């Protein structure tokens, strides 16, 4: 909110000996400059973001919309066949149905469930099926602990599973190239 934004500015300048009037002028200047943008209004409170974050989020939304329109990877396989394959691999009924939905759904999928429900195990099945289909599957998460979980439970090799910040740096620097055969599985755990 606007109050949160001003609080962050005031806290940031405290250690630099900048007074309240100067901090207020700085905060107002950032808003007027266009570097800090109001993005929505919630209960009469404006919410702000930084221009770079706003542009990155717009790119993510455009990419997600594009992915939603792509042909599913397993478009020639029935959901029943995929469900049976998952059951044979030891999946629960819910995991088997989710596996079939992911594999026959759009190129962008979100998997949500409570802790301990087998999301990482399901991720292992998805990753294995995609690798067998010839895809280069990368794993990522916001923390080292979560990437460790992907490696230990979902079967990702350290070479293809890295912390999200490192993955983004590698993509931006050109060190890692993504193509039509590359899929990324993101574990939001932290």
């Amino acid at each position: 909110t606007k109050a949160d934004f001003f609080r962050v500015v005031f806290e940031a300048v405290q250690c630099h000996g900048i007074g309240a009037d100067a901090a207020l002028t700085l905060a107002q200047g950032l808003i007027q400059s266009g570097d800090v943008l109001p993005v929505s209004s919630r209960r009469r409170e404006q919410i702000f973001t930084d221009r770079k974050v706003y542009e990155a989020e717009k790119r993510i939304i455009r990419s997600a919309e594009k992915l939603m329109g792509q042909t599913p990877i397993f478009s020639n396989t029935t959901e029943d066949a995929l469900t049976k394959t998952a059951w044979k691999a030891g999946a629960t009924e819910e995991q088997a149905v989710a596996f079939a939905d992911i594999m026959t759904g759009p190129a962008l999928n979100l998997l949500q469930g409570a802790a301990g429900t087998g999301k990482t195990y399901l991720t292992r099945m998805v990753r294995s099926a995609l690798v067998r289909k010839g895809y280069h599957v990368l794993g990522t998460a916001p923390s080292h602990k979560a990437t460790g979980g992907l490696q230990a439970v979902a079967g990702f090799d350290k070479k293809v599973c890295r912390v999200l910040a490192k993955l983004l740096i590698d993509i931006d620097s050109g060190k890692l190239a993504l193509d039509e055969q590359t899929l990324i599985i993101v574990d939001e755990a932290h």
Side-chain angles (χ1 to χ4, degrees):
T1 65
K2 194 169 191 173
D4 293 329
F5 170 70
F6 278 90
R7 182 183 46 77
V8 168
V9 171
F10 277 71
E11 288 173 359
V13 300
Q14 261 182 332
C15 61
H16 298 287
I18 297 174
D21 290 339
L24 180 60
T25 302
L26 173 64
Q28 290 170 335
L30 286 169
I31 292 172
Q32 290 172 354
S33 73
D35 289 333
V36 175
L37 305 170
V39 290
S40 69
S41 182
R42 179 181 64 192
R43 297 184 193 147
R44 293 188 228 148
E45 294 180 282
Q46 282 189 311
I47 299 171
F48 293 84
T49 192
D50 148 308
R51 179 172 297 285
K52 288 181 182 179
V53 170
Y54 180 74
E55 294 300 327
E57 288 175 350
K58 281 176 39 179
R59 285 192 309 274
I60 290 167
I61 290 168
R62 283 193 302 272
S63 295
E65 288 170 343
K66 183 178 174 185
L67 288 170
M68 293 301 289
Q70 290 183 355
T71 304
I73 294 168
F74 284 81
S75 60
N76 295 330
T77 307
T78 67
E79 286 189 30
D80 286 344
L82 288 166
T83 301
K84 288 176 185 172
T85 299
W87 279 336
K88 289 178 185 174
T92 65
E93 182 177 349
E94 291 85 5
Q95 289 170 326
V97 170
F99 175 76
D101 286 347
I102 290 168
M103 302 312 278
T104 59
L108 175 66
N109 286 279
L110 303 175
L111 176 62
Q112 181 179 342
T117 57
K119 295 179 301 294
T120 308
Y121 179 75
L122 178 58
T123 299
R124 179 186 198 100
M125 289 190 303
V126 169
R127 184 199 58 79
S128 295
L130 293 170
V131 168
R132 282 193 306 273
K133 189 91 169 165
Y135 286 88
H136 179 64
V137 183
L138 305 174
T140 190
S143 70
H144 288 284
K145 181 178 179 181
T147 55
L150 284 173
Q151 292 166 10
V153 182
F156 281 94
D157 185 274
K158 283 185 179 184
K159 293 179 285 190
V160 297
C161 188
R162 50 188 80 130
V163 174
L164 182 58
K166 173 74 169 128
L167 176 71
L168 295 173
I169 289 168
D170 289 349
I171 292 169
D172 285 345
S173 69
K175 185 177 179 182
L176 176 64
L178 305 179
D179 60 24
E180 296 292 321
Q181 290 296 111
T182 304
L183 296 171
I184 301 173
I185 294 178
V186 181
D187 184 341
E188 57 77 36
H190 48 281

